[in-house]
Amino acid sequence: MLNGQIAHSYLENSCTLLIPRPPALNQSSKWHQPAAAAAASSSASEELCQGAGVVEAEALHVDRIRNCDIFVDAHDLYFYADVKLYKFHSRRTFDLRELKTLLIRFNTTENHYQICLRCLPLSAGAQEGTGGERGGGGGTGDTAKLWSGRKEYIATFLHLPTLTDATSAHLPDKEHLVQEWKLKRITDQCQLQLDGHERTYKLTNNFGYGYASEYSGPLDASEMISQLDRATCRVSEPHRMSPIQRRQERVVDEMKRFSREQYKINFVELQVPSGHQNPLRYKPKIYETSMTQEQAHLLHNISRKLTREQQPCDVFRQNEIDCGLISILLAICYDVRTTNNEPTCESGWTRSILCPLYCYFEQFDNYRDVLIAFLRRMITYPLYRNFELGRQCVRDAIEVLKGGRNWLINQLLLTHQQFASGDPSRDSFNSYYLEDYIRYVTSPSACSDEHMRLLARNLKNVLMDVNKQHLGLGVTEIETELIKELMQEMRIDAGSDGSSPQQHGHGDDELDLETDTSGQEDETTTDDDSVITDSFDSMDMDMRLIENEIVYEDDEEDEDGDEDDDEDGDGDEDDDDSSSSTSSEAEGNSVIEQCSNSETAASTSTK
């Protein structure tokens, strides 16, 4: 869906919106001139009023004017006109209490819709909400707001940019977050009036779907009966639902089916069966691929089919095609990673349930919405519901877009086979999407390698900006709640096991203290022994010095005997380092006696 801008003005308690009608994708130049559009619209209105026959193109032009879908809430309005979505956020609160019929005027000369919505009156001195259209600021009171409203009305009348538009253009702020699933659809309450004529018309619903929205009208009857998987595809009449309504249906279904408990289980640890590899650790081999003979034959048949008439490839159409390709690729990457590239009987269901194109015929116009939709469905439907696993699948898709064209073609053909041969059959997905995308990817002129690398870069940039809060399922709050529960369980377990270990702990501490005390005593005794031994060693040294001074030549034999005794004493000291103090004292006394005997002998020889 392509977003458009809405011109608005406030006057007292009313808000007037001017919505330009978008040109047709396949007739962008045919009704581009206002004069031609006015002539066609006037002739078409005459045909509607008078019942006269007119040109078929003019009737189609009027049908396109009536092809609208409208959603509204207190501050927001979504207006889907044929192929384009217009969003408006009001700083005033809409008065929807008595809204029974909404009149929409269409001016064929200026080629735009005009809608007038009532607003609730302002209280004295109160500010007007939290911002204007696309983040405009509020005022300080009734006077300031009325003056601001007059200036905006004059600027709209003179086709000048308003202050809000200029501010938003130079100072881009955060886009107002709208809970689209809360918007109320009021299409059935709207009446269309052409150029002020008295007759009014109901709005019609005939929207495109499929590859690049090229398909229109009801699905084929045979496909409705045998080829449409109602358990997977939630939209049986896509032409009756606008793209915004399809997206609203998807968001509501995901919110209903999202399981908090299942997400908690997968957040702690993936429940991987025994004998299977953890999907988070799998490394896909995108550069190693081979095509079977059956797949080659299928590719040949698809390429030979007559394609639909090619439309001019404008920015809108190209963007929708690329977003659809990324959505299909993300679902394939999840199945390949979780099955280790060994398809199972559930692979067809997995690849279809994770892709909103198949389930809701949804249209995307930006990569951010594609990524958020995939992550929401990934944590809602399949077996492994883990946010980090989804991000890893996105990284796999980026690597495929960088240089895995052959791998991508092979996987698209495999998906085609799974849809065609599965039970229930999903062959309608092949008809409206896969076959066209296979032709698109295999065409180097339509989808070049450089273009695929550009998609990879854009997808990588978007992945960096998307977080859990963007999913809108309260994932961050669930994880915080789970962490608190685990911490509480740990505290309870610690408290229950804390009483008995404390009693046993006191006895163990006493034993440890006794052991430490005994060890200290042993160390003290050893130190004392070493001190005593050292003291007697020093005494022996002194005695040896004395012997050297008093010994003479005549006492060589006595000196030799003394030295032998001393050597024996040294040997005894070496052997008895760890002996008691009593033996050390006896040894000292023997040395002293030897010294006295030597002195007596010396005196006798002198005489």
Side-chain angles (χ1 to χ4, degrees):
M1 292 176 296
L2 188 63
N3 297 336
Q5 298 295 328
I6 297 179
H8 68 285
S9 61
Y10 294 98
L11 182 61
E12 296 182 354
N13 292 332
S14 64
C15 177
T16 303
L17 307 176
L18 299 179
I19 305 172
R21 185 186 66 81
L25 294 180
N26 55 352
Q27 297 177 358
S28 57
S29 60
K30 189 171 184 178
W31 303 108
H32 184 69
Q33 297 296 331
S41 299
S42 59
S43 60
S45 61
E46 292 176 0
E47 183 272 332
L48 289 173
C49 298
Q50 302 175 3
V54 293
V55 182
E56 181 180 359
E58 297 174 352
L60 286 175
H61 177 67
V62 175
D63 290 339
R64 288 188 56 249
I65 295 175
R66 299 170 58 188
N67 193 29
C68 301
D69 206 8
I70 305 173
F71 297 81
V72 67
D73 68 353
H75 288 275
D76 298 281
L77 180 136
Y78 279 28
F79 190 95
Y80 192 86
D82 195 32
V83 296
K84 197 172 186 178
L85 175 64
Y86 296 88
K87 300 180 181 180
F88 174 74
H89 177 70
S90 172
R91 62 172 179 261
R92 295 280 300 272
T93 304
F94 294 137
D95 186 4
L96 306 177
R97 294 171 299 179
E98 299 181 356
L99 181 61
K100 297 181 179 180
T101 302
L102 179 63
L103 184 63
I104 303 175
R105 297 181 175 88
F106 184 81
N107 191 323
T108 57
T109 303
E110 298 183 0
N111 199 32
H112 64 70
Y113 301 91
Q114 181 179 353
I115 301 176
C116 185
L117 291 172
R118 294 182 58 84
C119 300
L120 294 177
L122 293 173
S123 59
Q127 295 184 1
E128 294 185 353
T130 59
E133 196 248 346
R134 293 296 170 223
T140 58
D142 291 341
T143 305
K145 290 304 170 185
L146 291 176
W147 175 245
S148 177
R150 292 191 184 97
K151 290 192 295 183
E152 292 178 359
Y153 181 81
I154 295 173
T156 303
F157 180 78
L158 297 177
H159 302 285
L160 297 176
T162 61
L163 179 62
T164 302
D165 297 333
T167 304
S168 61
H170 295 285
L171 298 174
D173 198 359
K174 292 184 178 179
E175 185 176 356
H176 175 71
L177 180 61
V178 181
Q179 295 181 338
E180 297 179 352
W181 61 277
K182 291 185 177 180
L183 295 174
K184 179 182 178 182
R185 186 172 182 268
I186 60 172
T187 306
D188 297 335
Q189 303 172 233
C190 298
Q191 299 287 335
L192 180 67
Q193 187 178 53
L194 296 176
D195 291 332
H197 294 288
E198 296 182 358
R199 184 176 179 180
T200 58
Y201 307 93
K202 291 184 178 181
L203 300 180
T204 60
N205 297 320
N206 189 15
F207 303 99
Y209 57 91
Y211 175 82
S213 300
E214 291 182 351
Y215 299 87
S216 60
L219 298 175
D220 186 45
S222 60
E223 294 175 350
M224 289 289 297
I225 297 174
S226 62
Q227 299 180 1
L228 186 63
D229 180 14
R230 297 184 181 274
T232 304
C233 184
R234 311 293 296 181
V235 178
S236 58
E237 295 181 345
H239 67 292
R240 294 296 183 187
M241 301 176 65
S242 65
I244 181 61
Q245 189 176 1
R246 301 172 203 165
R247 183 167 64 188
Q248 192 179 56
E249 292 287 335
R250 173 182 62 82
V251 172
V252 172
D253 288 344
E254 291 167 355
M255 296 179 66
K256 290 180 180 178
R257 295 176 180 269
F258 177 70
S259 173
R260 297 170 60 92
E261 298 301 326
Q262 188 68 24
Y263 181 80
K264 288 181 180 179
I265 294 174
N266 287 269
F267 174 72
V268 176
E269 183 181 5
L270 294 179
Q271 304 299 313
V272 182
S274 60
H276 292 73
Q277 184 180 357
N278 192 325
L280 288 171
R281 301 174 184 173
Y282 176 74
K283 296 182 179 180
K285 301 177 181 179
I286 61 175
Y287 299 104
E288 299 179 7
T289 181
S290 60
M291 185 179 299
T292 63
Q293 184 176 0
E294 184 179 358
Q295 290 177 346
H297 182 68
L298 176 62
L299 178 61
H300 177 72
N301 292 338
I302 292 176
S303 302
R304 288 184 58 187
K305 287 184 179 180
L306 295 177
T307 60
R308 299 169 62 88
E309 182 181 357
Q310 297 295 327
Q311 306 293 342
C313 189
D314 55 2
V315 176
F316 167 68
R317 182 174 178 272
Q318 184 64 49
N319 202 27
E320 182 181 347
I321 294 173
D322 292 338
C323 290
L325 177 63
I326 293 174
S327 180
I328 295 174
L329 177 58
L330 291 174
I332 292 175
C333 289
Y334 177 90
D335 180 65
V336 171
R337 176 169 283 273
T338 54
T339 61
N340 296 335
N341 201 18
E342 297 179 359
T344 64
C345 59
E346 296 292 335
S347 294
W349 176 85
T350 303
R351 299 188 182 201
S352 60
I353 199 67
L354 294 180
C355 182
L357 273 69
Y358 302 141
C359 301
Y360 297 89
F361 293 92
E362 189 168 354
Q363 302 173 3
F364 294 101
D365 63 346
N366 63 85
Y367 305 139
R368 184 174 179 270
D369 290 345
V370 175
L371 211 59
I372 293 176
F374 166 73
L375 293 174
R376 281 174 59 96
R377 300 187 70 79
M378 193 275 306
I379 63 175
T380 302
Y381 291 100
L383 177 61
Y384 303 113
R385 307 176 186 182
N386 184 276
F387 181 79
E388 185 58 33
L389 176 61
R391 291 178 61 88
Q392 194 62 44
C393 295
V394 179
R395 297 187 186 98
D396 294 342
I398 293 173
E399 294 299 322
V400 172
L401 292 173
K402 285 182 178 179
R405 179 192 293 271
N406 294 333
W407 186 90
L408 177 57
I409 296 174
N410 188 11
Q411 290 296 328
L412 290 176
L413 293 172
L414 177 61
T415 306
H416 189 285
Q417 293 174 329
Q418 293 172 346
F419 286 170
S421 60
D423 186 19
S425 177
R426 302 179 179 92
D427 202 32
S428 59
F429 303 154
N430 294 332
S431 303
Y432 293 111
Y433 287 104
L434 265 184
E435 293 181 0
D436 291 302
Y437 272 108
I438 290 174
R439 284 188 287 265
Y440 172 69
V441 174
T442 54
S443 174
S445 59
C447 183
S448 61
D449 293 338
E450 183 180 357
H451 180 70
M452 294 183 67
R453 287 192 293 267
L454 177 62
L455 296 182
R457 289 195 297 268
N458 294 337
L459 187 60
K460 183 178 180 180
N461 295 334
V462 173
L463 178 62
M464 298 173 60
D465 297 333
V466 174
N467 53 46
K468 297 177 181 179
Q469 296 181 351
H470 292 134
L471 305 187
L473 295 173
V475 173
T476 305
E477 291 77 7
I478 295 174
E479 294 178 358
T480 304
E481 178 183 347
L482 176 60
I483 294 174
K484 291 181 179 179
E485 293 176 358
L486 295 176
M487 293 178 64
Q488 186 67 21
E489 292 178 0
M490 294 172 62
R491 292 173 183 173
I492 294 175
D493 295 340
S496 61
D497 298 338
S499 57
S500 56
Q502 287 179 358
Q503 296 177 356
H504 297 291
H506 291 298
D508 297 338
D509 294 340
E510 293 176 358
L511 293 175
D512 295 338
L513 289 175
E514 293 177 357
T515 305
D516 295 340
T517 305
S518 62
Q520 292 176 0
E521 291 176 354
D522 296 338
E523 293 174 1
T524 304
T525 304
T526 305
D527 293 340
D528 293 339
D529 294 340
S530 63
V531 171
I532 294 173
T533 305
D534 293 340
S535 63
F536 280 104
D537 289 340
S538 61
M539 186 182 296
D540 293 339
M541 182 64 68
D542 295 336
M543 292 302 103
R544 290 173 185 175
L545 292 174
I546 294 172
E547 291 175 2
N548 292 331
E549 291 177 357
I550 64 176
V551 172
Y552 295 96
E553 296 179 357
D554 297 338
D555 298 330
E556 292 179 358
E557 295 178 358
D558 296 335
E559 182 180 354
D560 295 337
D562 292 337
E563 290 177 356
D564 294 337
D565 295 337
D566 292 337
E567 291 176 359
D568 296 336
D570 294 338
D572 295 338
E573 291 174 5
D574 296 337
D575 297 336
D576 300 334
D577 288 340
S578 61
S579 64
S580 62
S581 61
T582 305
S583 61
S584 299
E585 291 176 357
E587 183 180 358
N589 293 331
S590 64
V591 173
I592 294 172
E593 290 177 358
Q594 292 176 4
C595 291
S596 60
N597 293 332
S598 63
E599 290 177 356
T600 303
S603 60
T604 302
S605 62
T606 304
K607 291 179 181 180

